[in-house]
Amino acid sequence: MDDVIDRILDGAKTVAVVGLSDKPYRPSHVVARYLRERGYRVIPVNPMIRAALGEKAYGSLAEIPGGVDLVDVFRKSDQVPAIAEEAIRIGAKYFWMQEGVVNEHARKSLAEAGIPVVMDLCVMKELAKRGR
């Protein structure tokens, strides 16, 4: 799994954070800010907000202009299959389910599409563990 994580962290430049909150105390906001501080371009995906971290928010992955390298998911596990299908449709390179987010069906669909997947881990903790 460490090889997959390293490949994602090294290969991703643009990160769509699905479920990003505009509230600074929420875990999604803390993680997205951390990613941004480490040079990643963060794109908020949340139909309930207009912007977060100074970036326009989009209602879905399909609305994002241009490509997305990594889809980072802060949603309930039962909502992940639809997000995974959308990630496949837009040609995302990688898919990450944050801590507590687990969906084997989505993992299998993504793997069949050739998209590396991380499940039930925090991207911020993985970056910090690697000194980044």
Side-chain angles (χ1 to χ4, degrees):
M1 179 55 65
D2 279 338
D3 289 345
V4 172
I5 291 170
D6 289 336
R7 194 164 91 215
I8 292 171
L9 296 177
D10 292 339
K13 303 295 179 234
T14 303
V15 182
V17 180
V18 179
L20 177 55
S21 175
D22 58 355
K23 295 173 178 60
Y25 57 86
R26 301 285 302 178
S28 62
H29 193 95
V30 172
V31 170
R33 187 175 59 242
Y34 187 91
L35 288 169
R36 204 168 129 171
E37 289 169 354
R38 271 126 194 103
Y40 295 92
R41 177 173 178 233
V42 173
I43 301 172
V45 179
N46 183 339
M48 306 304 288
I49 64 172
R50 290 185 172 210
L53 297 169
E55 296 285 338
K56 177 183 176 1
Y58 295 91
S60 69
L61 293 171
E63 294 175 26
I64 299 171
V68 170
D69 297 321
L70 172 60
V71 174
D72 184 18
V73 181
F74 282 89
R75 302 296 303 151
K76 291 182 181 178
S77 296
D78 64 349
Q79 296 175 351
V80 175
I83 299 165
E85 290 303 319
E86 193 173 21
I88 292 166
R89 278 195 306 275
I90 67 163
K93 295 177 186 173
Y94 312 107
F95 198 89
W96 195 294
M97 293 179 243
Q98 284 293 142
E99 283 181 333
V101 182
V102 175
N103 192 293
E104 284 296 332
H105 176 75
R107 187 202 56 75
K108 184 178 177 191
S109 296
L110 291 155
E112 288 172 359
I115 298 173
V117 180
V118 172
M119 187 165 57
D120 195 23
L121 290 173
C122 176
V123 68
M124 181 177 81
K125 289 179 182 178
E126 293 302 315
L127 279 165
K129 191 164 89 174
R130 289 160 173 78
R132 296 164 76 185

